[in-house]
Amino acid sequence: MRLRNSDREWGIPSIVLHWLLAVGILAMVGIGLYMVEMPNSMAKLRMYALHKSIGLTILALVVLRLAWRLYAGAPAPEPGTPRWQQHAATATHWMLYGLMLLMPVSGWVFNSASNFPLQWFGLFNLPALVQPDPELKDLARAVHRWGYYLICALVLVHAGAAIKHHVFNRDRTLLRMLGIRGRPDTPGDTR
């Protein structure tokens, strides 16, 4: 398997970054939903600290993924994909990138405006992005909350489209992101 993306395949860095971000986002959704329901305790503070650290990691991975995508390009859509689906996929991908940046940044702004310290897995402190500000804190919280709903919706659309391509279109859209070269039902297809 190659490093750089080709016109037909995703390279290893793109595949690894895609799945790391997918796992990270799913973990964030679970942790986020769990932590807000916890009673105030040291365990809740630790859960919030974990949420923030994973969020910062996602931010770094998204920046890396975007840089790699701009450098390495992306495979062409599978043959026969209607133009409207290509445009919808492109729009969905760029909205997901935007939200994967917006979510950790809005969380960081919320944290800073709340005057809370921010550490990455207890290893080092990060600077505040803004001064303490109750109005900005409320705005950042609202952006983070609505961003959560939007990213959940877009992840479902993205995953649903990949499954649709695999099950109904029987093309290689999903297999390419799994790093699988041929369809299981078409031995010898090495596209």
Side-chain angles (χ1 to χ4, degrees):
M1 183 170 276
R2 63 178 7 128
L3 286 178
R4 192 159 178 186
N5 302 331
S6 73
D7 63 334
R8 292 185 185 199
E9 304 291 335
W10 291 103
I12 292 172
S14 295
I15 293 170
V16 169
L17 288 167
H18 175 274
W19 292 108
L20 283 174
L21 286 165
V23 168
I25 290 168
L26 291 175
M28 289 299 277
V29 167
I31 291 168
L33 290 173
Y34 179 71
M35 73 185 192
V36 297
E37 298 299 324
M38 293 176 75
N40 290 336
S41 64
M42 287 305 294
K44 184 173 186 168
L45 288 176
R46 285 191 296 275
M47 192 63 64
Y48 268 82
L50 177 63
H51 182 81
K52 293 172 189 181
S53 293
I54 294 172
L56 291 168
T57 304
I58 287 172
L59 179 59
L61 289 172
V62 171
V63 170
L64 182 61
R65 175 138 190 233
L66 280 170
W68 182 255
R69 171 91 184 248
L70 293 173
Y71 168 74
E78 281 292 294
T81 304
R83 188 166 304 279
W84 72 267
Q85 285 183 14
Q86 294 175 32
H87 292 304
T90 298
T92 300
H93 284 119
W94 288 107
M95 286 188 287
L96 278 168
Y97 285 131
L99 284 166
M100 287 187 289
L101 291 169
L102 179 69
M103 291 300 290
V105 169
S106 65
W108 194 345
V109 169
F110 172 75
N111 194 79
S112 299
S114 302
N115 201 25
F116 292 132
L118 183 60
Q119 290 187 336
W120 186 73
F121 292 108
L123 297 175
F124 57 85
N125 293 329
L126 284 99
L129 292 180
V130 298
Q131 296 297 316
D133 182 332
E135 289 178 13
L136 184 56
K137 171 185 153 186
D138 291 341
L139 175 62
R141 177 189 291 144
V143 167
H144 203 68
R145 176 174 289 137
W146 285 103
Y148 160 78
Y149 295 124
L150 285 172
I151 204 165
C152 285
L154 285 176
V155 164
L156 288 173
V157 167
H158 179 69
I163 292 167
K164 177 246 184 219
H165 274 274
H166 187 72
V167 173
F168 296 106
N169 296 45
R170 303 191 58 76
D171 66 26
R172 301 190 61 257
T173 300
L174 176 61
L175 295 177
R176 293 190 311 184
M177 191 47 82
L178 292 170
I180 299 171
R181 293 187 71 54
R183 282 206 52 97
D185 58 343
T186 57
D189 180 8
T190 57
R191 285 192 298 166

